[in-house]
Amino acid sequence: MLVASFANSARLKPEIRLAQAVSEYEAALSGEQKAAFRISRSQTRESPPDVSDVMRLTAEIDRCASRKGRRCFGPRLTNLLQAVQQFASLGDIIIGGSQNLIACGVWSLAISQSGSHLEKLSIIFMDVGRSAPRYQSMALLYPRSKELQAYLCEYFIAVVGLCQETANFAKKSTLAQISSNLVDSAIKKFQSELDLWARSIKEEGTLLSSQTIKEEAKDNSTFRGLVLKSASATSYRRKMQARLYWLDACSTYDYVTTWKQARKRGSPTWFIQSAKYLDWRKDRESPRSDSLYLTGTLGSGKTVLMASMIDDLNLFAPKGTTAYFFCRHDINESLKARTVIGCLAGQLIQQSANIDKLDEEFGQGLSYVDCDRVIQLLGRVLSGTSKVYHFVLDGVDDCEDSERDALLQLLRQLQRKIPLLLCVSFRAGINSELITGPGIFTSLQILSIPANNPDIGEFIVAELEARLESGKLSIGNAAIILEIQDALQAGAQGMFLWVALQIDTICEEKTDKAIRNALKDLPRDLSETFRRILQKSGQTGAARYQDKVLKYVAAACRPLTTEELREALSVVPGNTIWNASKLINDIHATLACCGSLIIIDEEEFTVRFAHHSIKQFLISPRDFSKYQFTLHNANNEMGQIIVTYLNYGVFDTQVSRTVVPRIPAKEAPSQILNSILGQSSGVKQLAMGLLRSRKQTGYDIGKILADASNSHHESATDFHLLPYAKTYWYNHTGFFWENNSWPMLSLWLRLLNSGHVVCDYSFAR
């Protein structure tokens, strides 16, 4: 077996064991798979993969899945594929010829992981990808450290092992796959190893980065000469430094995550048959700029369609010519024209071979790169090209008018400089002359999502099949599924969001009669749907948290993680005594108080509204529903939570002095256990161990309680909300003086004057 082979060769260098692992994987392939693997490795050797290859690969995976009626799961692989791509693209100059061949083999191995089994195992790859070493500066750090080189090899040895396990699983019969446990001990072993090596890589990279700053400050030229002696390596390193500098100068905003979240929600296809879209996308003998304006009603699936369009362009447009951005109503930074134009420019600059032009003309001493300068940079890098570039831009109507108008004018300027095919989505009926006015976009065409969207039917079938397979939808009479399908099709009015929420509601019914009653009384619009969901979910045991959850999610400057929200919900405004026992034990069960209106991202663990229209419903004054509130009040309540939280006074005084007592199990009262254990990630196992220990005469549970206390101490003092509170406190307390009584104001003033917590003022500026 592969695992045994690894153990027997443990004395060998990591790069040799990595080569062996790749060879063993190749040897286990079928003849056809082996030929494809070797062709891919040869192509990768000649032309190392870049970021666009990752996008192309995930697009190809999802295209194959959609043909077979499966849901999208390619984005789950993005993080791991990016790590493999960066390793394979280090090249001969950095890692040497033989190691480069191995790295190319790892990439070829990764892209060979396709087929039906990958859908079932994509969650495992997604979990691994959370800690995958994805650092743009890897090419600069790699030659400097033998430890980093070894850690990377060890990491990819585990990647190869994981791929081998998935390949072995694919070879099993259908019956054997059904009876097998996908997350068996071998898979868990590789996951554990990947997490270990990812942490080691991160720590070594952090150390090297800090050393680089100090050493280059002393003597930049001498340092470079010591690190990379060859002229070619030095040139490569300079280009990499320039590339990283200009990428950071454009933007450091994470634009990929929003695309992944949207892409997972479906695969619309009607636009691919649209004459207007095909005319906009087609190759042109003489490159020129064109514009496509996509419009649709609320909930009609514009964002999902735009995410799918990016996949289509990555498959059919030349490499390195597609850039995209999704504005997010719940991330303030994404609604700024500077962020949007910076991310779009950075995507094209990242893949440009003309990065030297920027150094020659602008140098690397710019203190700030504004919007106009970004346009200059992009125009300079892409000038003289015969390529046609594609920009896909979604959610611009969520921006403030001034930001939206500035952004559209910048894009118009760019269309004059380079051949740019621009696609922008807007909600139907938006009132802005700047969008459709004369001279704004070049050769503007308007593509409207039809009310009788044919993709709705496919979406209904796919969602119902998924709920049946997962067991979320339980029916007694099989024929009732057709009744559900017909009712949803009749009431959809082109709204994917409406369909998805109705299916969620139907899944909660326990009998066929209840399902039929629900089908007879489906809400007619989204507002009524939102009200019914909140009314029904507000009857759960966690109902008292509903108002808080809705307000905190609406007011947050960026989506809160489950752990951040868990801490925020446990804060009592004005009570500055930290008490870990008040932390919510099960945040997932608590969030059920909002039904399907609140979702948790499977990859980022962030909490957000299922659609931006939910937030608009909650803060709209038109309906006067008991669930509605003003954004001003929600922001003030969030400010009270943060001010109280930052006044806990425990963030810099976490000292542990643990003495291990001897406590006979039978003599330990429950009060002692409660005071020591509290809530921890392993509380269930510890509790079961304590119950069993009382059956053993004379058993000393002192050590168990000490371990549990240490575990609890670490868990309770992580303070997940602290980084958010320190970064965004000013955004939530800008009008604090006008809205709060003296006790809360005194805490605010204490926070400003104490100096115990150093807050980040940079974002507030």
Side-chain angles (χ1 to χ4, degrees), residues 339-380:
T339 303
V340 178
I341 202 68
C343 287
L344 292 170
Q347 291 172 66
L348 297 186
I349 290 174
Q350 184 176 20
Q351 300 176 74
S352 171
N354 299 327
I355 202 78
D356 293 340
K357 292 182 179 180
L358 299 182
D359 278 356
E360 293 170 4
E361 185 165 340
F362 302 104
Q364 294 188 18
L366 299 176
S367 58
Y368 176 71
V369 179
D370 60 16
C371 289
D372 292 332
R373 182 56 60 88
V374 171
I375 297 297
Q376 291 179 15
L377 297 176
L378 197 52
R380 184 73 180 92

CSV table of all heavy atoms in Angstrom, one decimal, residues 339-380:
chain,number,residue,atom,x,y,z
A,339,THR,N,-11.9,49.7,-4.8
A,339,THR,CA,-11.8,48.3,-4.6
A,339,THR,C,-12.1,47.5,-5.9
A,339,THR,O,-11.3,46.6,-6.3
A,339,THR,CB,-12.7,47.8,-3.5
A,339,THR,OG1,-12.4,48.5,-2.3
A,339,THR,CG2,-12.5,46.3,-3.2
A,340,VAL,N,-13.2,47.8,-6.5
A,340,VAL,CA,-13.6,47.1,-7.7
A,340,VAL,C,-12.6,47.3,-8.8
A,340,VAL,O,-12.2,46.3,-9.4
A,340,VAL,CB,-15.0,47.6,-8.2
A,340,VAL,CG1,-15.5,46.9,-9.5
A,340,VAL,CG2,-16.1,47.4,-7.1
A,341,ILE,N,-12.2,48.5,-9.2
A,341,ILE,CA,-11.3,48.7,-10.3
A,341,ILE,C,-10.0,48.1,-10.0
A,341,ILE,O,-9.3,47.6,-10.9
A,341,ILE,CB,-11.3,50.2,-10.7
A,341,ILE,CG1,-10.8,50.4,-12.1
A,341,ILE,CG2,-10.4,51.0,-9.7
A,341,ILE,CD1,-11.8,49.9,-13.1
A,342,GLY,N,-9.6,48.2,-8.7
A,342,GLY,CA,-8.3,47.6,-8.3
A,342,GLY,C,-8.2,46.1,-8.5
A,342,GLY,O,-7.2,45.5,-9.0
A,343,CYS,N,-9.3,45.4,-8.1
A,343,CYS,CA,-9.3,43.9,-8.3
A,343,CYS,C,-9.4,43.5,-9.7
A,343,CYS,O,-8.7,42.6,-10.1
A,343,CYS,CB,-10.5,43.4,-7.5
A,343,CYS,SG,-10.4,43.4,-5.7
A,344,LEU,N,-10.2,44.2,-10.5
A,344,LEU,CA,-10.2,43.9,-12.0
A,344,LEU,C,-8.9,44.1,-12.6
A,344,LEU,O,-8.4,43.3,-13.4
A,344,LEU,CB,-11.3,44.8,-12.6
A,344,LEU,CG,-12.7,44.6,-12.3
A,344,LEU,CD1,-13.6,45.7,-12.8
A,344,LEU,CD2,-13.2,43.3,-12.8
A,345,ALA,N,-8.2,45.2,-12.3
A,345,ALA,CA,-6.9,45.5,-12.8
A,345,ALA,C,-5.9,44.4,-12.4
A,345,ALA,O,-5.0,43.9,-13.2
A,345,ALA,CB,-6.4,46.9,-12.5
A,346,GLY,N,-5.9,44.1,-11.1
A,346,GLY,CA,-4.9,43.1,-10.5
A,346,GLY,C,-5.0,41.8,-11.2
A,346,GLY,O,-4.0,41.1,-11.4
A,347,GLN,N,-6.2,41.3,-11.6
A,347,GLN,CA,-6.4,40.0,-12.2
A,347,GLN,C,-5.7,40.0,-13.6
A,347,GLN,O,-5.1,38.9,-13.9
A,347,GLN,CB,-7.8,39.7,-12.4
A,347,GLN,CG,-8.6,39.4,-11.0
A,347,GLN,CD,-10.1,39.3,-11.2
A,347,GLN,OE1,-10.5,38.4,-11.8
A,347,GLN,NE2,-10.8,40.3,-10.7
A,348,LEU,N,-5.7,41.1,-14.3
A,348,LEU,CA,-5.0,41.1,-15.6
A,348,LEU,C,-3.5,41.3,-15.5
A,348,LEU,O,-2.7,40.7,-16.2
A,348,LEU,CB,-5.7,42.2,-16.5
A,348,LEU,CG,-7.1,42.0,-16.8
A,348,LEU,CD1,-7.6,43.0,-17.8
A,348,LEU,CD2,-7.4,40.6,-17.4
A,349,ILE,N,-3.2,42.2,-14.5
A,349,ILE,CA,-1.7,42.5,-14.3
A,349,ILE,C,-1.0,41.2,-13.8
A,349,ILE,O,0.1,40.9,-14.2
A,349,ILE,CB,-1.5,43.6,-13.3
A,349,ILE,CG1,-2.0,44.9,-13.9
A,349,ILE,CG2,-0.1,43.7,-12.8
A,349,ILE,CD1,-2.0,46.1,-13.0
A,350,GLN,N,-1.7,40.4,-13.0
A,350,GLN,CA,-1.1,39.2,-12.5
A,350,GLN,C,-0.7,38.2,-13.6
A,350,GLN,O,0.3,37.5,-13.4
A,350,GLN,CB,-2.2,38.5,-11.6
A,350,GLN,CG,-1.6,37.3,-10.9
A,350,GLN,CD,-2.7,36.7,-9.9
A,350,GLN,OE1,-3.8,36.9,-10.0
A,350,GLN,NE2,-2.2,35.9,-9.0
A,351,GLN,N,-1.3,38.2,-14.7
A,351,GLN,CA,-1.0,37.3,-15.8
A,351,GLN,C,-0.3,38.0,-16.9
A,351,GLN,O,-0.1,37.4,-18.0
A,351,GLN,CB,-2.3,36.6,-16.3
A,351,GLN,CG,-3.0,35.9,-15.2
A,351,GLN,CD,-4.3,35.3,-15.6
A,351,GLN,OE1,-4.4,34.3,-16.4
A,351,GLN,NE2,-5.4,35.9,-15.2
A,352,SER,N,0.1,39.2,-16.8
A,352,SER,CA,0.7,40.0,-17.9
A,352,SER,C,2.2,39.7,-17.9
A,352,SER,O,2.9,39.6,-16.8
A,352,SER,CB,0.4,41.5,-17.7
A,352,SER,OG,1.2,42.2,-18.6
A,353,ALA,N,2.8,39.7,-19.1
A,353,ALA,CA,4.2,39.5,-19.2
A,353,ALA,C,4.9,40.9,-19.3
A,353,ALA,O,6.1,41.0,-19.4
A,353,ALA,CB,4.5,38.7,-20.5
A,354,ASN,N,4.1,42.0,-19.2
A,354,ASN,CA,4.7,43.3,-19.4
A,354,ASN,C,4.8,44.1,-18.1
A,354,ASN,O,4.7,45.3,-18.0
A,354,ASN,CB,3.8,44.1,-20.3
A,354,ASN,CG,3.7,43.5,-21.7
A,354,ASN,OD1,4.7,42.9,-22.2
A,354,ASN,ND2,2.6,43.7,-22.4
A,355,ILE,N,5.0,43.3,-17.0
A,355,ILE,CA,5.1,44.0,-15.7
A,355,ILE,C,6.2,45.0,-15.6
A,355,ILE,O,6.2,45.9,-14.8
A,355,ILE,CB,5.2,42.9,-14.6
A,355,ILE,CG1,4.7,43.5,-13.2
A,355,ILE,CG2,6.6,42.4,-14.4
A,355,ILE,CD1,3.2,43.6,-13.1
A,356,ASP,N,7.3,44.7,-16.4
A,356,ASP,CA,8.5,45.6,-16.3
A,356,ASP,C,8.1,47.0,-16.8
A,356,ASP,O,8.8,48.0,-16.3
A,356,ASP,CB,9.6,45.0,-17.2
A,356,ASP,CG,10.2,43.7,-16.7
A,356,ASP,OD1,10.0,43.5,-15.5
A,356,ASP,OD2,10.8,43.0,-17.5
A,357,LYS,N,7.1,47.2,-17.6
A,357,LYS,CA,6.7,48.5,-18.1
A,357,LYS,C,6.3,49.4,-16.9
A,357,LYS,O,6.5,50.6,-16.9
A,357,LYS,CB,5.6,48.4,-19.1
A,357,LYS,CG,6.0,47.7,-20.4
A,357,LYS,CD,4.8,47.7,-21.3
A,357,LYS,CE,5.1,47.1,-22.7
A,357,LYS,NZ,3.9,47.1,-23.6
A,358,LEU,N,5.7,48.8,-15.9
A,358,LEU,CA,5.2,49.6,-14.8
A,358,LEU,C,6.4,50.1,-13.9
A,358,LEU,O,6.4,51.2,-13.5
A,358,LEU,CB,4.3,48.7,-13.9
A,358,LEU,CG,3.0,48.2,-14.5
A,358,LEU,CD1,2.2,47.4,-13.5
A,358,LEU,CD2,2.2,49.4,-15.1
A,359,ASP,N,7.4,49.2,-13.7
A,359,ASP,CA,8.6,49.7,-13.0
A,359,ASP,C,9.3,50.8,-13.7
A,359,ASP,O,9.8,51.8,-13.1
A,359,ASP,CB,9.6,48.5,-12.8
A,359,ASP,CG,9.1,47.6,-11.6
A,359,ASP,OD1,8.2,48.0,-10.9
A,359,ASP,OD2,9.8,46.6,-11.4
A,360,GLU,N,9.4,50.6,-15.1
A,360,GLU,CA,10.1,51.6,-15.9
A,360,GLU,C,9.5,53.0,-15.8
A,360,GLU,O,10.1,54.0,-15.7
A,360,GLU,CB,10.2,51.2,-17.3
A,360,GLU,CG,11.1,49.9,-17.5
A,360,GLU,CD,10.9,49.4,-18.9
A,360,GLU,OE1,10.2,50.0,-19.7
A,360,GLU,OE2,11.5,48.3,-19.2
A,361,GLU,N,8.1,53.0,-15.8
A,361,GLU,CA,7.4,54.3,-15.9
A,361,GLU,C,7.0,54.8,-14.5
A,361,GLU,O,7.1,56.1,-14.3
A,361,GLU,CB,6.1,54.1,-16.7
A,361,GLU,CG,5.4,55.4,-17.0
A,361,GLU,CD,4.3,55.2,-18.1
A,361,GLU,OE1,4.5,54.3,-18.9
A,361,GLU,OE2,3.4,56.0,-18.1
A,362,PHE,N,6.7,54.0,-13.6
A,362,PHE,CA,6.1,54.5,-12.3
A,362,PHE,C,7.1,54.2,-11.1
A,362,PHE,O,7.0,54.9,-10.1
A,362,PHE,CB,4.8,53.9,-12.0
A,362,PHE,CG,3.8,54.1,-13.1
A,362,PHE,CD1,3.4,53.2,-14.0
A,362,PHE,CD2,3.2,55.4,-13.2
A,362,PHE,CE1,2.5,53.4,-15.0
A,362,PHE,CE2,2.2,55.6,-14.2
A,362,PHE,CZ,1.9,54.6,-15.1
A,363,GLY,N,8.0,53.2,-11.2
A,363,GLY,CA,8.8,52.8,-10.1
A,363,GLY,C,7.9,52.1,-9.0
A,363,GLY,O,6.7,51.9,-9.2
A,364,GLN,N,8.5,51.8,-7.9
A,364,GLN,CA,7.8,51.2,-6.8
A,364,GLN,C,7.7,52.0,-5.6
A,364,GLN,O,7.6,51.5,-4.4
A,364,GLN,CB,8.4,49.8,-6.5
A,364,GLN,CG,8.3,48.8,-7.6
A,364,GLN,CD,8.8,47.5,-7.2
A,364,GLN,OE1,8.9,47.1,-6.0
A,364,GLN,NE2,9.1,46.6,-8.2
A,365,GLY,N,7.7,53.3,-5.7
A,365,GLY,CA,7.7,54.2,-4.6
A,365,GLY,C,6.4,54.9,-4.4
A,365,GLY,O,6.3,55.9,-3.6
A,366,LEU,N,5.3,54.5,-5.0
A,366,LEU,CA,4.1,55.2,-4.9
A,366,LEU,C,3.5,55.0,-3.5
A,366,LEU,O,3.3,53.8,-3.1
A,366,LEU,CB,3.1,54.7,-6.0
A,366,LEU,CG,3.5,54.9,-7.5
A,366,LEU,CD1,2.5,54.3,-8.4
A,366,LEU,CD2,3.7,56.4,-7.7
A,367,SER,N,3.1,56.0,-2.8
A,367,SER,CA,2.5,55.9,-1.5
A,367,SER,C,1.0,55.4,-1.6
A,367,SER,O,0.6,54.7,-0.7
A,367,SER,CB,2.6,57.2,-0.7
A,367,SER,OG,1.9,58.2,-1.5
A,368,TYR,N,0.3,55.8,-2.6
A,368,TYR,CA,-1.1,55.4,-2.8
A,368,TYR,C,-1.4,55.4,-4.3
A,368,TYR,O,-1.0,56.4,-5.0
A,368,TYR,CB,-2.0,56.4,-2.0
A,368,TYR,CG,-3.5,56.1,-2.2
A,368,TYR,CD1,-4.0,54.9,-1.7
A,368,TYR,CD2,-4.3,56.9,-3.0
A,368,TYR,CE1,-5.3,54.6,-1.8
A,368,TYR,CE2,-5.6,56.6,-3.2
A,368,TYR,CZ,-6.1,55.4,-2.6
A,368,TYR,OH,-7.5,55.1,-2.8
A,369,VAL,N,-2.1,54.4,-4.7
A,369,VAL,CA,-2.5,54.3,-6.1
A,369,VAL,C,-4.0,54.5,-6.2
A,369,VAL,O,-4.8,53.7,-5.7
A,369,VAL,CB,-2.2,52.9,-6.7
A,369,VAL,CG1,-2.6,52.8,-8.1
A,369,VAL,CG2,-0.7,52.6,-6.6
A,370,ASP,N,-4.4,55.7,-6.7
A,370,ASP,CA,-5.8,56.0,-6.7
A,370,ASP,C,-6.5,55.4,-8.0
A,370,ASP,O,-5.8,54.7,-8.8
A,370,ASP,CB,-6.1,57.5,-6.7
A,370,ASP,CG,-5.4,58.3,-7.8
A,370,ASP,OD1,-5.0,57.6,-8.8
A,370,ASP,OD2,-5.2,59.5,-7.8
A,371,CYS,N,-7.8,55.6,-8.2
A,371,CYS,CA,-8.5,55.0,-9.3
A,371,CYS,C,-7.9,55.4,-10.7
A,371,CYS,O,-7.7,54.6,-11.5
A,371,CYS,CB,-10.0,55.4,-9.3
A,371,CYS,SG,-10.9,54.7,-7.9
A,372,ASP,N,-7.6,56.7,-10.8
A,372,ASP,CA,-7.0,57.1,-12.1
A,372,ASP,C,-5.7,56.5,-12.4
A,372,ASP,O,-5.4,56.1,-13.5
A,372,ASP,CB,-6.9,58.7,-12.1
A,372,ASP,CG,-8.3,59.4,-12.1
A,372,ASP,OD1,-9.2,58.7,-12.6
A,372,ASP,OD2,-8.4,60.5,-11.6
A,373,ARG,N,-4.9,56.3,-11.4
A,373,ARG,CA,-3.6,55.7,-11.6
A,373,ARG,C,-3.7,54.2,-11.9
A,373,ARG,O,-3.0,53.7,-12.7
A,373,ARG,CB,-2.7,55.9,-10.3
A,373,ARG,CG,-1.3,55.3,-10.4
A,373,ARG,CD,-0.5,55.9,-11.6
A,373,ARG,NE,-0.4,57.3,-11.5
A,373,ARG,CZ,0.6,57.9,-10.9
A,373,ARG,NH1,1.6,57.2,-10.3
A,373,ARG,NH2,0.7,59.2,-10.9
A,374,VAL,N,-4.7,53.5,-11.3
A,374,VAL,CA,-5.0,52.1,-11.6
A,374,VAL,C,-5.3,52.0,-13.1
A,374,VAL,O,-4.8,51.1,-13.8
A,374,VAL,CB,-6.2,51.6,-10.8
A,374,VAL,CG1,-6.6,50.2,-11.3
A,374,VAL,CG2,-5.8,51.5,-9.3
A,375,ILE,N,-6.1,52.9,-13.7
A,375,ILE,CA,-6.5,52.9,-15.1
A,375,ILE,C,-5.2,53.1,-15.9
A,375,ILE,O,-5.0,52.4,-16.9
A,375,ILE,CB,-7.5,54.0,-15.4
A,375,ILE,CG1,-8.8,53.7,-14.7
A,375,ILE,CG2,-7.7,54.0,-16.9
A,375,ILE,CD1,-9.5,52.4,-15.1
A,376,GLN,N,-4.3,54.0,-15.5
A,376,GLN,CA,-3.1,54.2,-16.2
A,376,GLN,C,-2.2,53.0,-16.2
A,376,GLN,O,-1.6,52.6,-17.2
A,376,GLN,CB,-2.3,55.4,-15.5
A,376,GLN,CG,-2.9,56.8,-15.7
A,376,GLN,CD,-2.1,57.8,-15.0
A,376,GLN,OE1,-1.0,57.6,-14.6
A,376,GLN,NE2,-2.7,59.0,-14.8
A,377,LEU,N,-2.1,52.3,-15.0
A,377,LEU,CA,-1.3,51.1,-14.9
A,377,LEU,C,-1.8,50.0,-15.9
A,377,LEU,O,-1.0,49.4,-16.6
A,377,LEU,CB,-1.3,50.6,-13.5
A,377,LEU,CG,-0.8,51.4,-12.4
A,377,LEU,CD1,-1.0,50.8,-11.0
A,377,LEU,CD2,0.7,51.7,-12.6
A,378,LEU,N,-3.1,49.8,-15.8
A,378,LEU,CA,-3.7,48.8,-16.7
A,378,LEU,C,-3.5,49.1,-18.2
A,378,LEU,O,-3.2,48.2,-19.0
A,378,LEU,CB,-5.2,48.6,-16.3
A,378,LEU,CG,-5.8,47.3,-16.8
A,378,LEU,CD1,-5.0,46.1,-16.4
A,378,LEU,CD2,-7.3,47.2,-16.3
A,379,GLY,N,-3.7,50.4,-18.5
A,379,GLY,CA,-3.6,50.8,-19.9
A,379,GLY,C,-2.1,50.6,-20.4
A,379,GLY,O,-1.9,50.2,-21.5
A,380,ARG,N,-1.2,50.9,-19.5
A,380,ARG,CA,0.2,50.7,-19.8
A,380,ARG,C,0.6,49.3,-20.0
A,380,ARG,O,1.3,48.9,-21.0
A,380,ARG,CB,1.1,51.3,-18.7
A,380,ARG,CG,2.6,51.3,-19.0
A,380,ARG,CD,2.9,52.4,-20.1
A,380,ARG,NE,4.3,52.4,-20.4
A,380,ARG,CZ,4.9,51.7,-21.4
A,380,ARG,NH1,4.1,50.9,-22.2
A,380,ARG,NH2,6.1,51.8,-21.7
